[in-house]
Amino acid sequence: MTTLDPLRLTARDAKRLLVDGEISAAELTKVFLDQIAAVEDKVKAFILVTADNAAKYSTKVDREMQAMRGPLAGLPIAVKDNLVTEGVTTTCASRMLHNYQPVYTATAVRQVWDGHVVMLGKTNLDEFAMGSSTEYSAYQVTANPWDLDTVPGGSSGGSAAAVAAGEALWALGSDTGGSVRQPASLCGVVGMKPTYGAVSRYGLVAFASSLDQIGPLTRSVYDCALLLQHITGRDPRDATSVELPEPVVLPSAERLDGLRIGVPSEYLDVGLEDGVRARFDETLARIEELGGRCVEVSLPHTEYALPAFYVIAPAEASANLARFDGVRYGYRCSDPVDLTDLYERTRSEGFGPEVKRRIMIGTYALSAGYYDAYYGRAQRVRSLVCRDFDHAFSQVDLIASPTSPTVAFTAGSRTSDPLAMYMSDVCTIPANLAGLPAISIPCGLSGGLPVGFQLIGPAFSENRVLAAAHALEGAIGFDTAPPFRGSRSSSGERDRGSADTTPRPEDTHP
Ligand code: GLN
């Protein structure tokens, strides 16, 4: 068997080795399970590792090669733990769901399972996907493999760290305000939020329904397109899902001839770190070298996007999270004296502080007398943000910005300052408000930590975004292998409660 480097292997190369018979799916899966055994202690990317199932299922893929083939067959994947998986505990990194066994599977997960991927486990996140550092998980704090003392970003920090640490070939995450792109940026991997509606949200535990999208985290743009190909499409179970006007194409472009890239001045005015600004400017220079043309554009309402998001997202979250009441499923407090006591204690004990903060803000913003002043006004701002993009896209093909104003920050440095944490997504949130596709690719290092470069396209321009990102990635030549420097002082482990880690039965599960 060829020796494989889990820190650099792409899904594309792994597939070639499988098809050529150089390795088996079982051997490939073992490479990742071995890496999990070697580094997970430090990284803590997974809430649940389904090692036995992964080993069994990969053997099955080898054995039934004739029936179980296709572009994804035998390729190991990690799944964010807010995507429900039948028979596999799904916690949303919340005490509220610490033992929740879903009775169905999210469509996006079902689609990759049907393609015979091998699921390695469920990854850590900020509780209910609310956060930018994965520190708001009720279970554990994930470390960034580039520097273990820093955060992996969030909320899909577990998925991003798993891919960066070579614990998975690729992963699924969700992005409501930047939760795929920002952790991808901080961990030096590729992350994409598709156009709103391009991927079914059925089975994604809802945070803010008008913003949520599922997206891939991968080690290359090609892999991102490959995974996206299999999760897009109309799903009768999600009324907001649509068929893409043209199917996702695997990118091959090496040049950017004739492409007009808009650089919004407002995005450069958000307190970018010097190193981030330097890598961004260098990447713009590469665009020009590849035949593209960078022009300044203006998105004048950018400064209002973040405040509007922090009204709309909590408002929708407060409604979505009303279902966790201790009656239907999930956590229930012990010995309630009456119904009010049941609701109050279940929700006080089940939710963590950041989730409670969002519920309180959202409930307030939606309350009678305030609805129009807050939610209504935020929605009007949202329309202005959309209009800004429409106007910019009448002049340019794509918009470029840094993904995050900073590189990975030290664990604990923003947890007591919610506004500083919220600022992490200042460059990613507008694309969610406008429902646009956006990708983050690594564009170099600053102080030894990855910097992300974001490309945003008009709605349904996935192929344009992917083609440009692919060409740029080739010119940048980023090395995805992190050094695992630093030493996390505390183990990062929180009370895992009695989370039942029973994996789903082998016959129904990859
Ligand atoms: N960081 C943002 C928040 O906390 C966005 C999170 C996300 O995209 N899920 O709301």
Side-chain angles (χ1 to χ4, degrees):
M1 175 186 141
T2 341
T3 342
L4 300 178
D5 178 0
L7 301 174
R8 294 190 175 91
L9 185 68
T10 60
R12 180 187 205 173
D13 289 341
K15 189 71 209 175
R16 201 175 302 138
L17 294 168
L18 282 175
V19 170
D20 293 348
E22 296 270 330
I23 45 162
S24 65
E27 285 163 345
L28 180 63
T29 301
K30 189 167 179 308
V31 167
F32 290 98
L33 292 176
D34 286 351
Q35 179 73 354
I36 292 174
V39 304
E40 178 60 7
D41 217 28
K42 289 186 250 175
V43 180
K44 300 199 181 300
F46 287 88
I47 290 180
L48 172 65
V49 177
T50 50
D52 290 349
N53 269 21
K56 268 193 227 147
Y57 190 75
S58 58
T59 313
K60 190 166 163 177
V61 172
D62 288 329
R63 212 176 40 229
E64 298 172 29
M65 215 183 311
Q66 285 317 312
M68 301 176 90
R69 51 186 182 181
L72 303 189
L75 300 178
I77 197 166
V79 175
K80 187 176 181 179
D81 205 23
N82 62 348
L83 288 158
V84 300
T85 40
E86 185 182 351
V88 181
T89 311
T90 299
T91 68
C92 289
S94 179
R95 269 169 64 82
M96 193 54 101
L97 291 175
H98 79 288
N99 248 339
Y100 175 56
Q101 302 286 324
V103 293
Y104 68 105
T105 298
T107 298
V109 177
R110 173 58 61 199
Q111 284 163 311
V112 294
W113 281 0
D114 287 348
H116 311 298
V117 295
V118 177
M119 187 170 81
L120 296 164
K122 305 292 295 287
T123 55
N124 198 24
L125 63 150
D126 290 294
E127 185 177 3
F128 287 105
M130 298 175 190
S132 307
S133 68
T134 312
E135 291 168 290
Y136 295 140
S137 164
Y139 299 121
Q140 64 204 32
V141 176
T142 300
N144 188 321
W146 288 83
D147 178 344
L148 299 167
D149 297 317
T150 66
V151 301
S155 64
S156 311
S159 286
V163 175
E167 296 180 276
L169 190 55
W170 51 9
L172 287 175
S174 68
D175 190 312
T176 303
S179 278
V180 164
R181 289 161 288 154
Q182 186 259 10
S185 169
L186 270 47
C187 288
V189 299
V190 174
M192 184 169 190
K193 181 198 90 71
T195 304
Y196 184 75
V199 178
S200 166
R201 289 180 297 107
Y202 179 72
L204 168 66
V205 178
F207 165 10
S209 308
S210 75
L211 301 157
D212 297 340
Q213 267 297 279
I214 295 167
L217 291 118
T218 60
R219 222 165 278 134
S220 74
V221 175
Y222 182 97
D223 287 5
C224 177
L226 180 59
L227 193 49
L228 197 59
Q229 266 188 340
H230 291 84
I231 59 174
T232 45
R234 161 105 184 109
D235 175 13
R237 293 184 164 117
D238 173 1
T240 62
S241 67
V242 285
E243 207 62 58
L244 284 175
E246 50 178 69
V248 176
V249 177
L250 298 174
S252 58
E254 287 172 9
R255 301 271 316 162
L256 297 173
D257 293 310
L259 204 72
R260 294 162 305 165
I261 309 267
V263 182
S265 45
E266 294 83 359
Y267 282 59
L268 304 179
D269 214 13
V270 292
L272 300 179
E273 278 177 0
D274 291 347
V276 170
R277 179 66 201 249
R279 294 300 88 75
F280 179 70
D281 289 343
E282 287 161 19
T283 311
L284 294 183
R286 285 190 195 281
I287 290 177
E288 301 265 349
E289 281 161 26
L290 294 174
R293 202 154 52 80
C294 300
V295 296
E296 195 179 320
V297 291
S298 177
L299 297 168
H301 297 92
T302 300
E303 67 173 304
Y304 307 111
L306 190 91
F309 175 90
Y310 276 102
V311 172
I312 294 168
E316 294 182 13
S318 71
N320 278 325
L321 269 57
R323 72 191 71 176
F324 301 106
D325 56 6
V327 175
R328 283 164 271 216
Y329 50 84
Y331 178 78
R332 176 182 291 180
C333 70
S334 55
D335 308 317
V337 293
D338 56 23
L339 191 61
T340 309
D341 186 43
L342 169 77
Y343 289 155
E344 281 181 6
R345 280 204 292 119
T346 295
R347 289 169 68 81
S348 317
E349 293 163 18
F351 291 133
E354 182 59 25
V355 174
K356 286 180 191 161
R357 179 167 22 236
R358 309 279 179 122
I359 293 174
M360 284 190 286
I361 295 172
T363 307
Y364 181 81
L366 290 180
S367 54
Y370 293 106
Y371 180 94
D372 211 46
Y374 293 103
Y375 192 71
R377 183 176 290 199
Q379 289 289 24
R380 286 196 289 278
V381 170
R382 186 175 189 171
S383 301
L384 295 173
V385 170
C386 295
R387 231 178 277 166
D388 282 357
F389 278 115
D390 286 347
H391 181 66
F393 285 127
S394 68
Q395 302 158 19
V396 294
D397 302 304
L398 294 171
I399 287 171
S401 80
T403 309
S404 158
T406 69
V407 294
F409 44 94
T410 309
S413 64
R414 294 190 191 169
T415 35
S416 53
D417 184 353
L419 290 185
M421 190 72 92
Y422 296 172
M423 279 302 286
S424 313
D425 293 310
V426 66
C427 299
T428 49
I429 277 174
N432 297 79
L433 288 175
L436 306 177
I439 197 168
S440 176
I441 62 168
C443 66
L445 300 174
S446 165
L449 294 170
V451 176
F453 185 85
Q454 177 176 235
L455 284 172
I456 308 172
F460 303 113
S461 68
E462 268 72 4
N463 286 329
R464 189 190 302 171
V465 172
L466 287 161
H470 179 267
L472 208 44
E473 172 187 60
I476 294 167
F478 183 80
D479 181 3
T480 54
F484 295 91
R485 76 175 195 220
S487 59
R488 173 139 298 190
S489 31
S490 84
S491 76
E493 187 90 17
R494 298 214 178 116
D495 173 22
R496 289 179 90 117
S498 55
D500 175 357
T501 51
T502 322
R504 58 199 293 266
E506 200 239 344
D507 52 354
T508 52
H509 158 238

